[in-house]
Amino acid sequence: MIKIIGPKCSTCCMLTSVWGIIMMLCLGGAYKLRSPALYKDIPIDFKNAALASNQKEVFAAYDSSGTNCFIAAGLYVLVLFFSLWQWKVNKSLQTYTVR
Amino acid sequence: MGSLFRSEEMCLAQLYLQSEAAFACVSELGELGLAQFRDLNPNVNAFQRKFVNEVRRCDEMERKLRFLERELKKDKIPIRDTGDDPVAPPPREMIGLEAKFEKLENEMKEVNTNQEALKRNFLELTELKHILRKTQSFFEEAAMYHGNQPETNQPEEENLLVNDYAKTPYTKLGFVAGVILREKVPAFERVLWRACRGNVFLRHAEIETTFEDPHTGDTVNKCVFIIFFQGDQLKTRVKKICEGFRATLYPCPETPQERREIAIGVMTRIEDLQTVLNQTEDHRKIVLSQVALDIRVWFIKVRKIKAIYHTLNLFNVNIAEKCLIAECWCPVVEIDRIQLALRKGTELSGSSVPSIMQRMNTKEAPPTYNRTDKFTQGFQAIIDAFGIANYREVNPAPFTIITFPFLFAVMFGDIGHGLLMFLFALYLVLSEKKYLAKKPENEIFEMMFDGRYLILLMGIFSMYTGFLYNECFSRSINVFGSAWNVNAMNDSNTTLQGSGTLTLDPKTYGVFRGTPLPYPNGTGDPYPYGIDPIWQSAGNKISVQNSYKMKNAVIMGLLQMIFGLVLAFYNHRYNKDYLALFCEWIPQLIFLMCLIGYLCILIFYKWAVWNVLNSNSAPSLLIGLINMFMFTKPTWAKKTQLYSNQNEVQITIVIIAILCVPWMLLTKPIILYLRNKFQGTTRYAGVRVAVDETSDDVAILDHDHLDDPETASITPKDEEEKFDMSEVLIYQVIHTIEYCLSCISHTASYLRLWALSLAHSELSEVLWTMVMHSGLSAKGILGAFMSFVIFWGFAGLTVGILLVMEGLSAFLHALRLHWVEFQSKFYKGEGYLFTPFSFSLIVEGRVDE
């Protein structure tokens, strides 16, 4: 039981990571479904018209972004576990100091 | 109409309390918390009142309790909170309480002085111990130097010299040792050097352990010092300097044996003292822990007694009849409960004569009392912050429950932001028991907590409007399937590759599902609810949405203003003010409908009649409206005409609107003038009860002749109004001008709905493209880590800027729309709040006596 971050920080990290997981999963899903709302947010050079109008290239870019989102969601799962652990540590420390 | 629509009906009541029953009765009323007492002796100084002695005794008790509470906090002993609420003890128990508190306070003070003395003693001994230990090393160094001398093989002469130098001063040197605060050491050293011209030798060493100042309880760091000097003169000088620096000097024997003996003695004394100190500490703990069990209950009891005596001080004392006379405002529906409480109080006190309660007639405006619960109080607070409603005026709070979150949400439309706000408020609502029991200390948090239901509704409504605007963190969601079809444009590959932006023409077959016939199969429905998601990627998104949101804002503004006028109708009808109804309200409504109502009708007409096929010939409504007032004839040719006979209709409307102005301005003053001339002023004589007289007889007399109109009418404070034509006229002119101008300016003011909504959506769009975009559009595996890191920034900025700052600004604008644009139509807000005498408020410390 090592305390690395404080109680407020751990709560904040926990909330942000939950939000991050949900949002990254949704975004990843949207990329995999090739949502046109995210067309501007794919890694492709829009100045190169031949590239941007090639469906294969565009779909590949969509897929890569989608995968990245899923990886980021996974990273947030790690953050969530870390902050949960820290939260518990902080909670146990609190009870010790009070009684 | 529910009780929220208007404030409670109130009445003024007079209470006759037997002096022996008064305390118990007031105590019962305080538990009930439904009566607001009036001060019957406003001219009497606070020190001349009857129960000033009792109030002082309560103050003294409270002071003692606060002293004990402070001691508890110093020792960090938790105060037991059983949550029970004791009733105010009868006055005879006060002496017992006083004696108890007196004893506790004395005991506590004694313990404190003893402890302080012991601690000081202990501190001195510890300092001495440290001095002995530290100086030991100083002396040892000197001795070592001294002892080393003979072993050095040096020429006799030099040896002699050194011995001379080392020995002679050593034997004759005097020294003092003491302890000084660490931060004073450098100054001390310098002063010593200067004052003694460098003829003293100072050594100092820091004590590693910190000390506790027995008086203040702070921890301090100290240094041991020893000063060597020669001669008595220097000695007195050194001692004076030490005194000046508040250094404590301790006697330090010269020989090691003596020092060792003293050190042993000190150690044993320290040990003894430690045990005594521990015992005192234990005793203190025992006393305080007993106090901690009961202090909360004592506080409540004392505060209740004090509040009761304060209230009794407001009463009129009748010495002859041995009774107290009180006057209070109370809700009419609660009179039975108040009478029941009085009876209970009389029984408790064992008095044989019952307490009497009697309603009084008065012309004075009663206080405004709106019953609220935990849900409605946040909304009522918004209204009350502007001004307390007049007695029995229409209370806008119940309508605010819906309109406020809705107008807020129009400016804050985003599913994602609404959801976050909703979740935050949901957390507050679900954990409200926890926070209600233990009030949050943070003021901002407390404010949010009080408005939790408001925030909850704002979140829900924001999600709804976000769904209409089709925005979730500025991205659109395609729920029902877009009504636009890009393929139907049949653009060639070269066109597609060539230009950056392409036009989607809804007139082309199959491109837009909502295009009306001439085409077979061209029909269908447009996007069923909300804005089509395709607009997110359109270049002219902003101009399309602007037109839509602006028109929406005007329509919503008109609806709310008309609703305000409807409420004004209820006010006039309730007050039976038919003059105002016919001479002000009706022309006001017609005027508003002619100006803005007509514009809204045109908006709907334009939406209904024009479509994609003829939209390029649609006339501008704004220019049309301006032309209408300039009597310019609209024509089909100039594309300014909307429907046939438009010119005639518009001229009629303008004339009606103009006619409304003199109607508003003149009819009411003229009728008032004529009425005044023919009717005279006899009807102004009213019934008035003399409550402002402090002498006892007047009040009694008034009561006895209360129902007799002759006596009542001669009482001094008849509010006879002199009719002043010029005043009425000026008042009417001001109001007419204000209303006519406000029709325009308030409608324009509602355009803030559009402006803030635009600002919000643009800001969230910028946040997405500037922050989120850079993470999402990064190539390869690096993109995953960038998204991970950048999302932190995105989350922080979303909460900080969009939720908090934008939310606050939308909140303020919604507040303004309610206070100014909506409430100015019907709400006076010149009343005063009903503040009942209630223990629950006093005990919590929310009411300052």
Side-chain angles (χ1 to χ4, degrees), chain B residues 36 129 186 192 231 268 370 387 399 491 551 559 563 580 587 668 728:
Chain B
Q36 176 181 359
K129 184 183 88 183
L192 266 180
T268 45
N370 288 308
F399 314 111
D491 287 315
K551 284 169 180 158
L559 287 179
F563 183 55
K668 193 180 171 188
V728 173

Side-chain angles (χ1 to χ4, degrees), chain B residues 232-248:
Chain B
D232 281 342
Q233 256 189 332
L234 270 179
K235 185 176 183 175
T236 47
R237 200 175 286 175
V238 164
K239 278 196 168 166
K240 266 184 191 161
I241 292 169
C242 289
E243 231 169 75
F245 275 86
R246 294 192 180 273
T248 30

Side-chain angles (χ1 to χ4, degrees), chain B residues 480-498:
Chain B
F480 307 110
S482 175
W484 295 75
N485 183 4
V486 184
N487 289 337
M489 280 305 286
N490 283 324
D491 287 315
S492 64
N493 266 345
T494 42
T495 354
L496 283 176
Q497 283 181 1

Side-chain angles (χ1 to χ4, degrees), chain A residues 12-13 16-17 19-21 23-24 27 31 35-38 40-46 49-50 53 64-65 67-69 71-72 75-76 79, chain B residues 420 473 475-476 496-498 536-537 768-769 772-773 775-785 787-792 794-796 798-799:
Chain A
C12 180
C13 285
T16 320
S17 55
W19 179 7
I21 290 167
M23 188 139 168
M24 284 303 169
L27 274 174
Y31 272 117
S35 158
L38 296 168
K40 293 265 172 64
D41 298 321
I42 54 171
I44 204 161
D45 185 14
F46 288 106
S53 60
S64 104
S65 270
T67 317
N68 281 350
C69 283
I71 294 171
L75 290 174
Y76 274 109
V79 174
Chain B
L420 290 177
F473 298 110
R475 299 292 98 178
S476 295
L496 283 176
Q497 283 181 1
Q536 196 214 298
S537 44
W768 186 277
T769 48
M772 258 326 237
H773 172 80
L776 292 175
S777 63
K779 269 180 195 157
I781 193 72
L782 178 72
F785 289 99
S787 299
F788 172 73
V789 175
I790 277 171
F791 180 75
W792 286 98
F794 176 76
T798 299
V799 171

